[in-house]
Amino acid sequence: MSANLDQLKVTAKIIRADILRSTTAAGSGHPSSSLSATEVVTALYFGGFMKHDAKNPRWPDRDRFILSKGHAAPVLYAALAESGYFPKADLLTLRKLGSPLEGHPNYKRLGGVEASTGSLGQGLSIGVGQALAARVDKKDFRVFVMTGDGELGEGQIWEAAATAGKYKLDNLVCIVDRNHFQQTGAAEDVLNMDPIDGKFAAFGWHTITINGNDMGEVVQAFQRAQEFKGQPTCIVSLTHKGQGILPLLEKLGDTNFHGKPLPEKYLEEALALVK
Amino acid sequence: MAMAGGSSALQSKRPAGKATRDAFGRALEALGADYPNLVVVDADVSNSTRTEWFGKKYPDRFFNVGIAESNLVGVAAGLASSGKTALVSSFAAFIICNAYDQLRMSVAYPGLDVKVVGSHAGISIGEDGASQMGIEDVALACALPDFVVLVPADDTSAISLTQGMFKHIGPVYLRVGRPDVPRIYPEGTQLTIGKANVVRPGKDVTIIANGLMVGSALDAADTLAAEGIDARVVDMHTVKPLDRATLEAAARETGALVIAEEHLAHGGLGSVVAMAVAEIHPVPIRYVNVGDQFGESGTPEGLLEKYGLTADRVAQATRAAFRAKKA
């Protein structure tokens, strides 16, 4: 596993660099919300936890990843490009007219996108539906959904959480990217949803809390989720928004850096940090 | 049975029929065998919307997610994006209004094969009052890109349109009602989605109606015939996509229109038809609908009369349209 872990760390660096390059080229977007989620998305796509086929994106038996926090689309696009869903050069078309790499993921236009998201709170319900479809069809595919922590303010999340608990969907994993920030400030100041693990547990979920920017912990959490039967698993992934370029964000005086691309003049410095 | 002229839309001269929700529920139950891929999701109102008949027959393909319409629609989207045909139902007011963003983002935008059924539409639900009355549902459903929007007039057409919506791949909204309604079509009649039905020929004026107002329109046409006005009646059961050819023929051949529906004035059949007619062949139009207001508690018949959804009012509006044409 350790060799694999080293390889995953290298891949995470590539993903981070792609997030930075694509959002700076776009001149808009959400790099900091993408950077916090990088280890989790990298482990999912490249750590052997998802069976999927870039050449056959709608393969019925594939495992599914829904990015419910759709504004972090750059991390998803970077992982899809690295997996071979489309040429890596296309990452630089992010948010441009005619590109399927829209500001938020568009199911209709891009293979590998499992749900059109961007209106927060909706991804977990879709994941519940997909997990139920596996049960109806007696298939063994698994469904992973990533939400933000601010996103937990959406009531629909808890409707979905209760439903997943009711049906004991052990083929469903929800990862909460707990990066502690949302648009206007600290997540716990805007609307405190702590304890997140306790809330999911109360709805019948198995919960794991990890340092989500530590690849070893992320891999271990997915292994445990895979082995756990009889309940859905929630991984509360404690992360930093902007992980990888925090010294630069501190220098710029904005460690939230919500919805802003790095200006071109800081790109090289940022790329050096994530190398 | 009351006289046709002064009676509510429920008290038509037409033969008695079942509620459209009942017809839908029986049709759905029967279709379970033809569509093994069909999964039904409920928000704990299946004994009202009649999906319980499917649920009892196919418990492995039926999920009750509780009183949570947003999640209901999202779950259906997930089922559909994993290859199932998903049907969701609740009261029209709740599934359309409460879960509108989910219909927009999780169903319409990805263009998923989800069938949405809103029951208890209109003011004819009666005593439960305004909170339960979906009277803006058609407008909202029509605003969802690529949605097909269906409003059956009676039990026969509810069966046919329920069957038809599964032959269409893509999102559909089907509106059904609570009370028993007069029968317009003989049993077994097949309707085609997107093709309006001329249920009565006529040359002087055309009444375009859907839902339970089709019966009132026919009754009004009978009354008008005695006065020498030959009214055509069109059942516009598909509001979207609109049958522009039938509409154009009506506008050109009869020169005046009345649009009757159990819905608010804004955004329903009246708006949709007027927009098309204004472009194709402008003619005088009069409207019969609930206006710009909420309903209230009362008997279905009493409400329909108070809010003007009667054959009398349709006849009045038709005379006005006819006169406007001649003026």
Side-chain angles (χ1 to χ4, degrees):
Chain A
M1 200 65 212
S2 64
N4 189 14
L5 207 56
D6 290 341
Q7 186 52 47
L8 284 174
K9 287 178 184 171
V10 171
T11 306
K13 290 178 180 181
I14 297 169
I15 300 291
R16 281 206 162 86
D18 286 340
I19 290 167
L20 293 168
R21 283 198 194 94
S22 61
T23 50
T24 293
S28 68
H30 294 259
S32 64
S33 305
S34 303
L35 290 168
S36 62
T38 298
E39 275 75 18
V40 165
V41 173
T42 303
L44 270 180
Y45 278 86
F46 308 100
F49 296 109
M50 281 204 343
K51 55 180 193 298
H52 63 115
D53 181 358
K55 300 291 165 241
N56 186 10
R58 300 280 193 244
W59 172 40
D61 296 341
R62 72 195 182 280
D63 294 328
R64 285 129 168 99
F65 173 64
I66 294 172
L67 184 67
S68 191
K69 47 172 278 183
H71 54 288
V75 67
L76 173 62
Y77 298 155
L80 292 177
E82 191 65 22
S83 301
Y85 282 80
F86 51 83
K88 288 202 65 163
D90 290 0
L91 289 172
L92 297 179
T93 68
L94 175 68
R95 291 175 164 253
K96 294 203 162 68
L97 193 62
S99 171
L101 278 62
E102 298 205 48
H104 295 79
N106 183 338
Y107 171 88
K108 244 183 179 172
R109 288 185 72 184
L110 189 62
V113 169
E114 297 290 357
S116 295
T117 54
S119 180
L120 292 171
Q122 300 196 20
L124 191 56
S125 296
I126 298 170
V128 168
Q130 294 180 345
L132 281 173
R135 179 168 295 180
V136 172
D137 288 343
K138 299 186 169 53
K139 292 188 174 207
D140 64 357
F141 68 75
R142 297 168 61 75
V143 182
F144 300 88
V145 179
M146 175 180 274
T147 74
D149 50 359
E151 184 178 3
L152 300 182
E154 294 280 6
Q156 189 186 350
I157 292 280
W158 305 106
E159 298 179 3
T163 306
K166 171 182 177 176
Y167 290 107
K168 301 181 167 52
L169 296 174
D170 56 13
N171 56 344
L172 177 68
V173 178
C174 177
I175 307 108
V176 178
D177 185 32
R178 175 88 172 106
N179 66 22
H180 299 276
F181 274 120
Q182 56 196 94
Q183 181 156 334
T184 65
E188 39 277 66
D189 293 341
V190 175
L191 186 65
N192 187 10
M193 298 305 287
D194 284 328
I196 295 169
D197 57 346
K199 285 189 175 63
F200 275 92
F203 284 116
W205 290 59
H206 164 232
T207 66
I208 307 171
T209 299
I210 58 165
N211 174 353
N213 291 136
D214 181 309
M215 191 62 86
E217 288 196 31
V218 171
V219 166
Q220 213 176 38
F222 281 129
Q223 282 165 343
R224 284 175 58 195
Q226 206 160 33
E227 288 155 14
F228 197 88
K229 298 297 169 209
Q231 283 176 292
T233 292
C234 173
I235 299 173
V236 180
S237 176
L238 307 175
T239 61
H240 292 285
K241 200 162 170 177
Q243 174 71 24
I245 60 165
L246 287 170
L248 175 58
L249 298 186
E250 275 159 23
K251 194 170 89 180
L252 294 172
D254 182 1
T255 49
N256 185 357
F257 214 71
H258 183 88
K260 292 191 262 189
L262 275 178
E264 185 75 44
K265 62 180 172 181
Y266 296 117
L267 183 60
E268 282 313 310
E269 187 180 345
L271 288 172
L273 284 169
V274 301
K275 218 170 196 174
Chain B
M1 191 176 287
M3 292 296 293
S7 61
S8 82
L10 291 174
Q11 296 159 308
S12 165
K13 291 191 302 186
R14 310 298 124 193
K18 294 279 189 201
T20 50
R21 63 170 169 155
D22 292 333
F24 151 74
R26 286 299 172 210
L28 180 69
E29 180 191 15
L31 287 166
D34 302 332
Y35 293 89
N37 215 24
L38 170 59
V39 177
V40 174
V41 196
D42 168 42
D44 206 38
V45 285
S46 63
N47 50 350
S48 297
T49 65
R50 307 307 195 205
T51 60
E52 69 168 341
W53 298 330
F54 177 97
K56 284 190 174 141
K57 201 160 173 184
Y58 303 102
D60 296 343
R61 292 193 272 147
F62 181 83
F63 300 100
N64 180 355
V65 300
I67 307 164
E69 292 80 12
S70 307
N71 183 52
L72 171 79
V73 171
V75 168
L79 286 160
S81 69
S82 288
K84 315 307 292 179
T85 294
L87 181 138
V88 287
S89 74
S90 181
F91 286 25
F94 308 146
I95 201 157
I96 293 287
C97 300
N98 192 314
Y100 195 69
D101 188 32
Q102 288 71 25
L103 292 170
R104 166 185 173 263
M105 270 302 296
S106 293
V107 176
Y109 183 40
L112 293 172
D113 191 22
V114 175
K115 312 307 181 196
V116 180
V117 180
S119 75
H120 295 62
I123 59 172
S124 58
I125 68 163
E127 290 79 357
D128 276 340
S131 66
Q132 321 291 299
M133 293 171 172
I135 50 176
E136 58 289 276
D137 56 320
V138 172
L140 291 168
C142 283
L144 295 166
D146 286 338
F147 254 73
V148 166
V149 179
L150 305 172
V151 184
D154 70 348
D155 50 4
T156 304
S157 50
I159 293 169
S160 178
L161 293 175
T162 299
Q163 293 164 344
M165 78 175 168
F166 288 107
K167 291 180 189 139
H168 171 84
I169 306 294
V172 176
Y173 175 63
L174 174 73
R175 176 194 227 214
V176 292
R178 178 173 180 274
D180 289 343
V181 287
R183 179 167 291 159
I184 308 300
Y185 298 101
E187 266 184 69
T189 304
Q190 298 293 311
L191 304 186
T192 304
I193 290 177
K195 181 79 191 81
N197 255 34
V198 179
V199 289
R200 176 188 174 117
K203 60 179 181 353
D204 293 335
V205 55
T206 300
I207 308 167
I208 295 172
N210 64 18
L212 53 72
M213 294 311 291
V214 176
S216 294
L218 287 168
D219 291 350
D222 287 349
T223 304
L224 293 165
E227 301 169 15
I229 299 175
D230 184 19
R232 181 180 301 185
V233 177
V234 172
D235 173 11
M236 196 62 84
H237 51 76
T238 305
V239 184
K240 191 183 157 191
L242 190 67
D243 180 352
R244 290 165 67 97
T246 298
L247 196 57
E248 178 169 0
R252 284 191 192 281
E253 292 162 17
T254 70
L257 303 178
V258 172
I259 307 164
E261 60 186 320
E262 191 189 10
H263 190 273
L264 293 178
H266 289 280
L269 182 66
S271 296
V272 169
V273 168
M275 193 169 103
V277 168
E279 183 181 43
I280 301 170
H281 186 77
V283 295
I285 303 179
R286 295 294 180 269
Y287 304 91
V288 177
N289 53 48
V290 180
D292 184 28
Q293 62 187 327
F294 287 98
E296 64 189 289
S297 290
T299 61
E301 293 82 1
L303 285 163
L304 289 166
E305 287 186 25
K306 176 169 180 182
Y307 288 79
L309 301 183
T310 63
D312 248 6
R313 287 290 286 273
V314 175
Q316 250 176 47
T318 309
R319 287 183 204 105
F322 180 66
R323 280 196 301 269
K325 170 176 106 164
K326 298 181 92 178

